[in-house]
Amino acid sequence: MSTEVVVTIGGERRTAPSGTRIAELIDGERRRDTVAARLDGQIVDLGRAVTADATIELISANSPEGLEVIRHSTAHLMAQAVQSLFPGTQVTIGPVIEDGFYYDFAPPRPFTVDDLPKIEARMRELAKANLPVERLEEPREAAIERFRRMGENYKVEIIEHIPETVVSLYRQGDWIDLCRGPHVPSTGYLRAFKLTGVAGAYWRGDEHNPMLSRIYGTAFATREELEEHLKLMELARSRDHRKLGREMGLFIFDPVAPGSPFFLPRGAIIYNQLIEYVRRLYGRYGFEEVVTPQLYKNALWHTSGHWENFRENMFLTTDGENRGGELDYAFKPMNCPGHTYIYAAEKRSYRDLPLRIADFGRLHRAERSGTLHGLTRVRAMSQDDAHIFCTAGQVEEEIDLNLRMVRDVYGALGFERMEAKVATMPEKHMGDEAMWREHEATLGRALDRNGLAYELNPGEGAFYGPKIEIDVPDALKRRWQLATIQLDFNMPERFDLTYTTSAGTPARPVMIHRAILGSLERFIGVLLEHTGGVLPFWLAPEQVRVLSLSEKVEGYAREIAALIKDKGFRASADLRNEKLGFKVREAELAKVPYMAVVGEREAEARSVSLRMLRGAKNQAMSLDALIEMLKSEPLPS
RNA sequence: GCCCAUGUAGCUCAGUCGGUAGAGCACUUCCUUGGUAAGGAAGAGGUCACGGGUUCGAUUCCCGUCGUGGGCUCCA
């Protein structure tokens, strides 16, 4: 008994026998470009049979959803290739990620990059064979039994965690995998892919679990798009802050101090300019700067809880008298415990609050060796750190104040792509839930007031309070957390901080940890990648370089460089015995925003020939005009 | 810390199927005095990361350590 169903497909209504597969409803022309379909809003395979009236939208290969299907199917193709090449390898999971996909395997031996070409070649063979990809449904128990027989213990574990009674499997050729789908109709749809790397990854991301072997790859609808993507990645690598730092002479690293940058004079200028900028804001926003000890006796860390929770990440030491004895001091990894002593140095009243204490103190953290990464992950750093002690009722105003500061700073530095998140109460937490929810709402309100969109990061708060995190992506699309605004109910408790209320009774202040730039080190790293090294004028280590054309004008070049310096700008003169083209090239590579070329013509007229960074047209101008131009360069507000 | 890769001159990289090393750029000196992204020549510069092992002989092969890179984990 065949009944008819009414299908709206691509906006067109038509009828078809019930049970017709979606693929059969698509014209030949469109079929090649269609990888899946949306059936009444749900993404499904083209092989899905239509058994009721429905609305169908086709998902083309180059749509975001289509791309996801292609990448997911490519991950399967890779798993199939891997299992045929390396018998005894178990599959685990293979999700789609931002720029591609990965698949985690449990192989007899870890994969190396040398394995990738082989796997890729097999994938191409399998794609060329154009194997149909079929969806099967199987009762949960039968599937568990099936994968157990296949020796796929990880899959068994996965299915055991699936609540549904029926699970879906996908088969291509003789290969079969548990998967929710959807997938492309056949492996021939997969034409543009590349395996990009191998890595170790723990099963379920937990380091107590076995380490699996992960292979990363990417896939696109067409080879052209794949090529374009690979080129883009190449370009991104040229903006790597580590490369720029070397080229621009900003900082170096040396194995004598792993994870600890040496800022060279030019890098130190950027570093100090950022600090100066934040200092100016401190004046405006009512922060007071302090200078606090680097080393504290362990007693402090016991009280603060760092000994218990953070010792793994601390550098422990001792003093000269106790050499050979126990390690009874530690370098501070954070400023907060020290600041509680400044708070407690006086009897505080509600009239003192909010108390905003800022500190550019140097922090040291014994980060695990495998995590170090240029300036973005270091062991020695300074933060534009501050702690605010306030009453519970002042929290919202304080959060708001800091978010206004965030907007000032990020706006001044041209970051538009910041992403705000509110990390909420974790399972292990102190204080009652009502208080948490109330403060989470406060954070959200403050974000709203500042027009900042945000996402929730459920359960990701610290045990002692919720926080706002601001992330910014780097050149390679890795996200880095810069600003944080963290509420802390714990530290005031541990250090027994109090203030006297207007009623004369003692009360516990709330502590807010916050940093806008985060660490100066990381911020500079991200800023370099963000700008490609072309920093705003006020941050440029060298703002003007005078390029002399020949020895004859050496005196004049020297003179005007001195004059520009005298006006408060960072300038130098390149008087070397080199051709102009060479000097221009070097100034360009050093990313000096203004190049003032002087030859005999200019010396005669007391002028310069100005060239702007990145080849903007050079123009003759008087010295006064140049100074005026420099003065008109915007400073951060 | 774990997995994979990697470590040769200040930088970027060749090279040695085991007989102690090269290039370009940078550096020094000389020539050249020039008009907007590399003028020319000469010179100097390396315990081939470090420590063991195998070998007549190790920079090369093996093991370990350290560093670096890509991930995992953690976090600013």
Side-chain angles (χ1 to χ4, degrees), chain A residues 76-86 119 122-123 126:
Chain A
H76 270 222
L77 186 69
M78 175 171 82
Q80 182 182 14
V82 163
Q83 288 201 308
S84 81
L85 287 167
F86 303 93
I119 297 169
R122 175 61 58 89
M123 286 168 73
L126 293 168

Side-chain angles (χ1 to χ4, degrees), chain A residues 548-588:
Chain A
S548 63
L549 199 54
S550 76
E551 272 173 16
K552 293 179 200 125
V553 292
E554 195 183 312
Y556 178 64
R558 229 190 266 282
E559 185 195 332
I560 61 173
L563 209 140
I564 295 167
K565 272 200 233 180
D566 200 48
K567 297 288 178 192
F569 299 100
R570 294 183 290 273
S572 73
D574 186 350
L575 306 172
R576 291 175 305 167
N577 175 14
E578 297 290 352
K579 292 209 166 189
L580 182 61
F582 183 81
K583 294 185 183 185
V584 165
R585 178 183 151 80
E586 294 221 325
E588 284 280 340

